[in-house]
Amino acid sequence: MTAPNLFLVYVRDVERSTAFYRELLGIEPVFTSPRYVAFEAAPGMLFALWSGRPEAAVPGTPRTSEVGLMVTGGPAEVDAIHAAWAAKGVEVLEPPHDEVFGRTFVIADPDGNLVRVSPVD
C-alpha cells in the first residue's frame, strides 16, 4: 500500500485561500484551476485547496482536522513563526504554549480551517 500523498482543505474562495497560504508559507502553487489549487508540500506530496464541495465548506461545519507545519529549531523557532504570522494579522486560536509533543500554536485560515505549528517529532 502507498502512503497518503494528497491532503485537501475545503475552502469557499480558492483565490483568497491561495493568496493566504502563498503569503503564509512562502510557496507557489504547482497546479491552478478555477476551483482547485495544489501546492507541493514535499516531493510527491500535495497540499490542495478545493471549493468543489461548497456544502462542506460552510462556516458552521465543524473542523476536525488540522493543517500541520512541523519545524526544526525548537521552541524559539515556533515562537518566531508565531510572531511573524501574528504580525501579518492571522487569527490566532491558541497562542504559543507547551504540549506533550513540544511548543505549539494554532491559527485559523480564512475558512476557519486550523493550522498548527509544532516541532518535528
Side-chain angles (χ1 to χ4, degrees):
M1 181 191 301
T2 60
N5 58 7
L6 172 63
F7 299 90
L8 274 175
V9 175
Y10 293 110
V11 298
R12 289 186 300 270
D13 183 332
V14 170
E15 288 182 21
R16 177 184 67 181
S17 294
T18 298
F20 176 83
Y21 283 103
R22 177 186 281 135
E23 170 68 21
L24 190 72
L25 303 176
I27 59 176
E28 293 295 323
V30 295
F31 179 85
T32 303
S33 73
R35 295 181 297 123
Y36 176 88
V37 172
F39 296 89
E40 187 172 47
M45 182 181 301
L46 295 178
F47 164 70
L49 308 171
W50 188 34
S51 68
R53 299 262 327 267
E55 69 276 8
V58 295
T61 302
R63 305 299 179 203
T64 57
S65 62
E66 298 177 346
V67 173
L69 176 63
M70 297 174 73
V71 298
T72 58
E77 179 69 11
V78 172
D79 288 344
I81 292 169
H82 171 266
W85 289 5
K88 292 179 182 188
V90 300
E91 180 183 3
V92 177
L93 300 178
E94 291 181 17
H97 63 283
D98 295 322
E99 276 293 347
V100 296
F101 49 82
R103 192 84 171 150
T104 187
F105 70 91
V106 178
I107 68 162
D109 77 3
D111 288 286
N113 296 300
L114 305 179
V115 180
R116 177 179 298 276
V117 175
S118 63
V120 173
D121 287 341

